[in-house]
């Protein structure tokens, strides 16, 4: 893996760890951004991690761009020698698949879709070789997901499924973007899932919706009182299919200020995962229910 460094004007350095997303590339990117933060380099004003890359903003009057570049390359050498172990958390996110709200929305935009005769999830199931939507939902919710970056709009997580390449779901985005997407829609584009943190335009396929708030600029939601954005890079997510009754029950808890997502602290080892993906995933999801 050989990173590519480029300057962005006088104040930015963009580092592309790899051309395609992988957990290995994510770990290098995460390790480097954490190292930059820990090093407390004078002049660094912003650190922006992404799926397999990151960008550093700095003040060239405080640190020369060439010196900033040298510092990043030094930190990369240290990151590549790391043990690729992450102390993180696994979070259960309830999802009401094939809900009426995203269904009504997607039906308004069929002329922008690859298959106007099918719903988004029916299309995704078909092109990925599943003989039913139910089997597709099992695949989408059957393995955990890595939060590889948060952004594009405030609080929106991009999630990468933790399975081998041959089993990864792949679905193209809409032919042209929608002008509407319900808040908290669980979407999919390319090989990434996401959760739309706000209502707005979007091009990802819509599979369902979660009743769990993930972004609250007013910080009224109890578990968002410390920070308005719920997810952070390195989080692990387990999607839990729920029905309408369960969805309504969570909504009632949220409105009463009583809902708390199921969260457990876990240790994730990339080497252990690569040696036994299914076994590692099973342990991670079992950890959600450990007392």
């Amino acid at each position: 893996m050989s990173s590519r460094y480029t300057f962005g004007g006088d104040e930015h350095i963009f580092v592309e760890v790899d051309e395609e997303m992988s957990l290995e590339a994510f770990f290098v990117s995460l390790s480097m951004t954490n190292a930059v933060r820990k090093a407390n380099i004078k002049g660094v004003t912003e650190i922006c991690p992404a799926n397999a890359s990151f960008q550093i903003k700095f003040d060239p009057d405080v640190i020369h761009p060439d010196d900033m570049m040298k510092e990043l390359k030094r930190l990369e050498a240290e990151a590549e020698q790391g043990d690729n172990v992450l102390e993180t958390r696994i979070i259960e996110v309830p999802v009401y698949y094939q809900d009426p709200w995203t269904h009504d929305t997607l039906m308004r935009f069929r002329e922008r879709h690859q298959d106007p005769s099918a719903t988004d999830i029916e299309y995704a199931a078909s092109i990925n070789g599943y003989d039913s939507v139910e089997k597709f939902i099992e695949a989408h919710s059957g393995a955990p997901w890595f939060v590889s970056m948060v952004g594009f709009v405030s609080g929106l997580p991009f999630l990468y499924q933790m399975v081998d390449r041959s089993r990864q779901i792949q679905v193209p985005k809409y032919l042209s973007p929608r002008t509407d997407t319900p808040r908290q829609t669980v979407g999919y584009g390319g090989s990434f899932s996401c959760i739309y943190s706000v209502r707005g335009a979007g091009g990802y396929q819509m599979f369902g919706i979660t009743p769990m708030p993930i972004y609250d600029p007013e910080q009224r939601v109890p578990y968002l009182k410390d920070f308005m954005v719920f997810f952070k890079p390195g989080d692990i997510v387990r999607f839990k299919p729920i029905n309408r009754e369960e969805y309504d029950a969570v909504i009632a808890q949220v409105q009463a200020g009583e809902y708390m997502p199921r969260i457990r602290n876990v240790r994730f080892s990339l080497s252990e995962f690569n040696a036994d993906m299914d076994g590692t995933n099973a342990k991670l999801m079992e950890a959600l229910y450990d007392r």
Side-chain angles (χ1 to χ4, degrees):
M1 192 179 300
S2 180
S3 299
R4 182 169 63 185
Y5 292 75
T6 53
F7 286 110
D10 296 329
E11 299 179 341
H12 297 87
I13 294 178
F14 176 71
V15 182
E16 185 179 29
V17 177
D18 203 350
E19 290 186 354
E20 62 180 23
M21 172 62 195
S22 67
L23 288 180
E24 287 80 4
F26 166 79
F27 263 83
V28 172
S29 176
L30 182 66
S31 297
M32 289 183 68
T33 51
N34 285 342
V36 172
R37 194 173 291 109
K38 184 177 179 180
N40 197 27
I41 302 167
K42 290 184 178 180
V44 172
T45 58
E46 190 172 354
I47 303 168
C48 183
N51 295 319
S53 62
F54 63 93
Q55 182 167 278
I56 303 296
K57 184 178 181 182
F58 59 94
D59 184 346
D61 292 329
V62 176
I63 182 169
H64 192 280
D66 290 339
D67 293 333
M68 186 73 245
M69 181 77 79
K70 290 177 184 177
E71 189 68 13
L72 291 178
K73 289 183 177 181
R74 181 186 67 80
L75 292 173
E76 180 183 16
E78 294 180 5
E80 289 180 341
Q81 296 173 4
D83 56 7
N84 285 339
V85 173
L86 180 66
E87 299 295 334
T88 185
R89 58 183 183 168
I90 185 168
I91 304 142
E92 185 176 78
V93 176
V95 181
Y96 181 16
Y97 289 92
Q98 302 186 94
D99 67 281
W101 306 285
T102 60
H103 178 79
D104 287 348
T105 303
L106 67 87
M107 293 306 294
R108 289 193 280 119
F109 294 96
R110 295 329 284 162
E111 78 282 356
R112 305 186 184 205
H113 195 271
Q114 290 86 350
D115 186 354
S117 65
T119 65
D120 290 6
I121 200 167
E122 288 170 345
Y123 170 70
S126 175
I127 67 171
N128 281 277
Y130 294 96
D131 56 15
S132 68
V133 167
E134 289 71 26
K135 291 292 185 182
F136 180 82
I137 292 172
E138 288 179 11
H140 188 265
S141 61
W145 299 73
F146 230 101
V147 177
S148 56
M149 65 171 284
V150 179
F152 187 68
V153 296
S154 298
L156 185 151
F158 287 83
L159 303 113
Y160 182 80
Q161 194 172 30
M162 298 165 61
V163 295
D164 61 74
R165 294 270 178 171
S166 64
R167 293 161 53 195
Q168 283 184 344
I169 297 166
Q170 295 192 42
V171 189
K173 295 187 289 185
Y174 273 45
L175 296 175
S176 59
R178 299 178 302 274
T179 56
D180 190 23
T181 308
R183 183 172 69 99
Q184 294 169 203
T185 290
V186 175
Y188 210 100
S191 58
F192 286 93
S193 198
C194 79
I195 303 173
Y196 283 79
S197 53
V198 297
R199 183 179 181 181
Y204 277 24
Q205 310 284 337
M206 296 183 289
F207 295 164
I209 199 165
T210 177
M212 172 184 154
I214 63 168
Y215 173 65
D216 179 16
E218 298 180 352
Q219 294 182 263
R220 294 178 179 176
V221 176
Y223 56 87
L224 296 176
K225 287 190 180 297
D226 291 334
F227 190 51
M228 67 182 72
V229 172
F230 179 71
F231 287 108
K232 54 189 177 183
D235 280 342
I236 298 173
V237 169
R238 185 255 167 151
F239 289 128
K240 178 187 177 182
I242 60 173
N243 58 29
R244 176 62 187 267
E245 183 179 356
E246 292 169 310
Y247 176 89
D248 289 342
V250 173
I251 289 294
Q253 287 182 299
V254 169
Q255 292 174 344
E258 299 172 350
Y259 181 73
M260 288 294 292
R262 184 182 293 272
I263 304 172
R264 295 290 186 271
N265 293 324
V266 293
R267 172 186 176 277
F268 178 80
S269 165
L270 181 60
S271 60
E272 291 176 7
F273 173 76
N274 286 334
D276 181 9
M277 292 185 183
D278 291 340
T280 301
N281 287 343
K283 290 178 182 177
L284 285 170
M285 293 200 287
E286 286 170 5
L288 271 170
Y289 303 98
D290 289 344
R291 292 290 181 180

